[in-house]
Amino acid sequence: MSEFNAADHAWMARALRLAQRGQWTADPNPRVGCVLVRDGVCVGEAWHERAGEAHAEILALRAAGDQSTGATAYVTLEPCSHYGRTPPCADSLIEAGVARVVAGATDPNPRVSGQGLERLRQAGVAVAAGLMAEQSERLNPGFFRRMRAGLPYVRAKIAASLDGRTAMASGESQWITGAPARRDVHRLRAGSSAIVTGVDTLIADNPQLTARDVEADFIAPRRVIIDTDLRTPTDAGVLSDERGVVVIHGGAMPSRENDLVHAGAELWQAMPGDDGHISPSSALEAMAAAELNEVLLEAGPRLTGAWLQAGVVDELIVYFAPHLMGHEGRPLLALNGLESLAQRLPLTLLDERRVGDDLRLRWRVGEGEEV
């Protein structure tokens, strides 16, 4: 028999909806919601809005005031038990006299994992965990990936014609998709910790790599250039504003390093792979170390293909435009060494929708159920 009843599910669902409100602002912290219920009535609720500010539990306790005593707290993620940017939430729940805590997912952070729940139990608080845990994890794929594997969650985005071309043979590519699809991409960017592209795309298109025309508060994503040999032009558009850019390179080139640092770039060194290019996993480990949870890769067919074949891409998002660009155009992806059907890269369709005149397809890379 389940330890959770229908009311527990309903209140946790409410907490998950609240957590989603921190989708674009909580980074690098997880998106967490909390609902305090006493005698079947919500007495306080909140979500975590920004790193360094009060967590969802603290805000909900403030909203409930004295009514927190004897209440049940529904929290989408295990309350923290350590001093980070803020004091431990488990201690605050205990001090407020909360009688029961129902948690969604267990915190994957090794500094917390299970310890917050144990602290509550030792203080005499009734604890139940695991309610709708998968939904909580799906709200925070990057945070869970970073804590468990030391890597961000990676989405690769491509815009293509129906015949799978991302540019004309000349390199002309603006614009393949319509304005609604481009606005949708900016929403994807706004919800990402970083936007990543390769130096070839930077040189060819001089992109801004910013989220624009998004009618919501969000944290501006970091801009990251994968540039093994430090070919980033010092007059690139990403270096012309105050937002900053990270250039991940493969080795010491003092003169170029000095030029780019003087131009405003932040340089990170990563290990080259066997092919001489930056190892995707090494680049992503550096991003995870900088607390980047969710990465949006917007690059050319070669870099995107290399990351897919390296197994570091979690989702592939393609916007297909209703036109044909011909066989001489540039391909959707460059995938090397695929000689038989057995070597295909499997994809699992997660979502399909029309965006203006274009079709957006979202796949999980790999087979099986979505986690």
Side-chain angles (χ1 to χ4, degrees):
M1 180 177 178
S2 173
E3 61 182 316
F4 305 114
N5 58 33
D8 290 333
H9 281 84
W11 289 119
M12 184 60 77
R14 172 64 182 169
L16 286 164
R17 290 193 295 272
L18 290 168
Q20 198 163 19
R21 296 185 186 182
Q23 177 180 0
W24 292 347
T25 59
D27 205 52
N29 286 355
R31 299 140 186 159
V32 180
C34 178
V35 178
L36 288 169
V37 178
R38 180 173 169 177
D39 298 326
V41 177
C42 174
V43 295
E45 63 180 24
W47 65 95
H48 181 49
E49 297 181 28
R50 291 184 182 275
E53 297 181 4
H55 288 187
E57 299 96 316
I58 305 305
L59 294 172
L61 289 170
R62 290 176 186 171
D66 294 341
Q67 296 184 83
S68 300
T69 304
T72 294
Y74 294 90
V75 190
T76 58
L77 187 69
E78 174 185 2
C80 62
S81 58
H82 70 292
Y83 281 87
R85 294 182 177 92
T86 58
C89 291
D91 290 354
S92 296
L93 291 165
I94 293 166
E95 292 167 6
V98 168
R100 180 180 180 230
V101 171
V102 178
T106 301
D107 196 324
N109 186 341
R111 299 176 64 188
V112 178
S113 187
Q115 297 177 50
L117 299 176
E118 183 58 29
R119 183 175 296 193
L120 291 164
R121 290 190 185 99
Q122 290 179 359
V125 178
V127 173
L131 177 60
M132 304 176 77
E134 289 185 4
Q135 290 91 324
S136 179
E137 289 198 29
R138 282 200 291 268
L139 270 179
N140 297 288
F143 179 77
F144 276 82
R145 175 64 53 78
R146 180 164 65 86
M147 289 297 165
R148 288 173 173 167
L151 296 171
Y153 189 89
V154 179
R155 298 179 178 93
K157 165 260 166 184
I158 302 172
S161 62
L162 190 59
D163 53 347
R165 301 297 156 178
T166 58
M168 302 303 292
S170 65
E172 181 186 0
S173 63
Q174 295 183 344
W175 296 102
I176 292 175
T177 54
R182 297 198 296 274
R183 285 195 296 270
D184 195 62
V185 170
H186 282 284
R187 291 176 62 85
L188 275 176
R189 290 179 173 185
S192 301
S193 309
I195 304 166
V196 180
T197 196
V199 66
D200 288 337
T201 297
L202 183 75
I203 292 171
D205 298 338
N206 197 20
Q208 296 181 54
L209 302 180
T210 56
R212 304 180 296 278
D213 301 323
V214 177
E215 296 179 357
D217 188 21
F218 64 93
I219 298 172
R222 299 291 297 271
R223 301 181 295 183
V224 180
I225 311 300
I226 307 298
D227 181 6
T228 304
D229 299 319
L230 285 179
R231 293 187 292 120
T232 297
T234 54
D235 61 352
V238 291
L239 290 167
S240 65
D241 57 41
E242 301 300 319
R243 294 185 178 93
V245 64
V246 172
V247 177
I248 299 182
H249 65 103
M253 298 178 188
S255 62
R256 286 296 294 150
E257 289 179 27
N258 291 336
D259 290 344
L260 285 169
V261 169
H262 183 73
E266 182 178 348
L267 301 185
W268 297 355
Q269 186 172 343
M271 293 296 295
D274 294 338
D275 60 359
H277 297 291
I278 292 295
S279 160
S281 59
S282 180
L284 288 167
E285 286 167 3
M287 293 183 220
E291 297 189 310
L292 301 180
N293 288 330
E294 298 178 28
V295 166
L296 181 64
L297 177 65
E298 295 190 58
R302 187 171 63 183
L303 182 61
T304 304
W307 280 38
L308 275 163
Q309 289 189 287
V312 299
V313 176
D314 299 287
E315 289 183 24
L316 177 63
I317 302 169
V318 182
Y319 293 83
F320 282 109
H323 53 240
L324 306 173
M325 293 169 58
H327 71 281
E328 294 182 351
R330 297 188 179 179
L332 190 75
L333 293 163
L335 300 172
N336 296 320
L338 300 186
E339 298 177 353
S340 69
L341 289 177
Q343 296 174 302
R344 291 174 295 181
L345 298 183
L347 304 172
T348 301
L349 184 64
L350 299 177
D351 178 69
E352 56 180 315
R353 66 183 61 185
R354 182 171 175 173
V355 184
D357 291 330
D358 303 311
L359 179 64
R360 188 187 81 178
L361 299 179
R362 183 171 67 95
W363 292 279
R364 186 169 63 80
V365 180
E367 296 176 318
E369 298 283 332
E370 181 181 9
V371 178

